[in-house]
Amino acid sequence: VELIEGFEYMLKRALGENIDLAIEFGENAWTATIDAHQFENALLNLTLNARDAMPKSGRLTIATENIVLDDVEAGKYEELSPGDYLRVTVRDTGLGIEPKILDSVIEPFFTTKGTEGTGLGMNISYGIICRHGGRIEIKSEVNNGSTFTLHFPIPINTDSVEETSEVEKEVISKKLRILVVDDNVEIGNILDKFLSREGHLVRIVNNGEEAKVLAKIDNYDLVLCDFVIPEGYGINVIKS
């Protein structure tokens, strides 16, 4: 796993000055088949959750290591088979998660942030990890932080890399017109920087009514919209 250039800086910006970020990538890491942009989207969501769990200060550590699970070790993790894995650990020193809600944090729309949260960030990360054949384990202790452990299987044969089709290359290289709707200025700026760096044309707005107007007068390829926004809900923006 290697972070796309500039993404570590983006994570530091998302965390703020009061939270330390430590990247501890192991040497000679095995190659797992992971889409870099989706993986970093999952990491960004986990980072934002960690930031909210450390309102005053703290430390976030992202580490990787190669791990071989035999029958006994694999049995300790749900739905993991024996084999080689790339383990990614995301650990914070925050407030922790109460045991009674620990199993609910990956459910869609579950949030402890009231109207300030959508309850989708963790669910999106979970979906990305599972789509890549990975699994996630969450351990937490109230007032003593949380640890998210991700396991990605290593392909048995990594010598041959599958060729990307011409159609896929065209889709990957296409520059999109993207409308981002989010009343959180910081998240909007992060998305703007991240997407613009890839050559996409990005427009940021912070309310539903303005987004509806822009969507009607301009031809956007993609709309990224928060679920709860001023003057409406994200689903209404998408429908318009």
Side-chain angles (χ1 to χ4, degrees):
V1 173
E2 294 182 359
L3 295 181
I4 296 174
E5 183 180 358
F7 189 75
E8 183 176 343
Y9 170 77
M10 187 182 299
L11 291 181
K12 290 180 179 178
R13 285 286 303 275
L15 287 172
E17 298 179 354
N18 295 329
I19 298 176
D20 295 325
L21 174 64
I23 304 292
E24 301 174 357
F25 283 0
E27 296 183 0
N28 302 316
W30 289 333
T31 301
T33 306
I34 309 170
D35 180 275
H37 291 283
Q38 292 191 39
F39 174 70
E40 291 184 354
N41 186 17
L43 276 187
L44 179 59
N45 284 327
L46 292 175
T47 297
L48 293 175
N49 282 344
R51 178 200 63 188
D52 294 340
M54 298 182 284
K56 295 183 179 180
S57 63
R59 182 179 180 87
L60 177 68
T61 303
I62 302 175
T64 67
E65 63 176 321
N66 301 329
I67 188 77
V68 179
L69 299 182
D70 57 20
D71 291 331
V72 175
E73 289 298 316
K76 298 178 182 179
Y77 300 94
E78 185 177 356
E79 300 181 356
L80 285 186
S81 303
D84 298 340
Y85 290 86
L86 178 65
R87 176 184 286 171
V88 181
T89 304
V90 181
R91 181 172 59 255
D92 67 60
T93 59
L95 299 173
I97 305 171
E98 295 183 12
K100 64 181 180 181
I101 64 172
L102 189 60
D103 293 335
S104 301
V105 296
I106 61 173
E107 295 177 0
F109 306 114
F110 178 85
T111 179
T112 59
K113 304 172 187 176
T115 57
E116 297 182 1
T118 64
L120 292 175
M122 189 61 213
N123 182 258
I124 290 173
S125 296
Y126 177 76
I128 290 172
I129 294 163
C130 289
R131 283 198 299 274
H132 287 83
R135 292 294 179 268
I136 183 169
E137 180 189 38
I138 307 172
K139 292 186 177 180
S140 185
E141 184 178 341
V142 175
N143 296 323
N144 201 29
S146 301
T147 300
F148 298 81
T149 305
L150 289 52
H151 287 89
F152 294 99
I154 303 302
I156 296 177
N157 181 10
T158 59
D159 294 333
S160 60
V161 179
E162 186 176 339
E163 288 289 334
T164 302
S165 69
E166 291 302 320
V167 174
E168 289 175 318
K169 289 179 181 178
E170 182 180 351
V171 171
I172 292 172
S173 63
K174 183 179 180 181
K175 305 307 179 185
L176 304 177
R177 297 176 60 83
I178 302 175
L179 176 63
V180 176
V181 190
D182 200 310
D183 58 318
N184 187 311
V185 176
E186 185 176 351
I187 292 177
N189 290 338
I190 289 173
L191 289 172
D192 187 8
K193 181 179 178 65
F194 183 69
L195 295 170
S196 297
R197 187 181 61 199
E198 300 301 316
H200 302 301
L201 180 62
V202 183
R203 179 69 183 270
I204 309 291
V205 296
N206 61 9
N207 65 84
E209 290 305 314
E210 185 178 357
K212 290 179 183 179
V213 172
L214 288 174
K216 290 179 180 179
I217 64 176
D218 209 340
N219 185 24
Y220 289 97
D221 300 299
L222 178 66
V223 177
L224 302 177
C225 188
D226 196 1
F227 184 73
V228 180
I229 53 178
E231 303 178 28
Y233 289 91
I235 188 64
N236 295 329
V237 174
I238 300 301
K239 287 180 178 180
S240 66

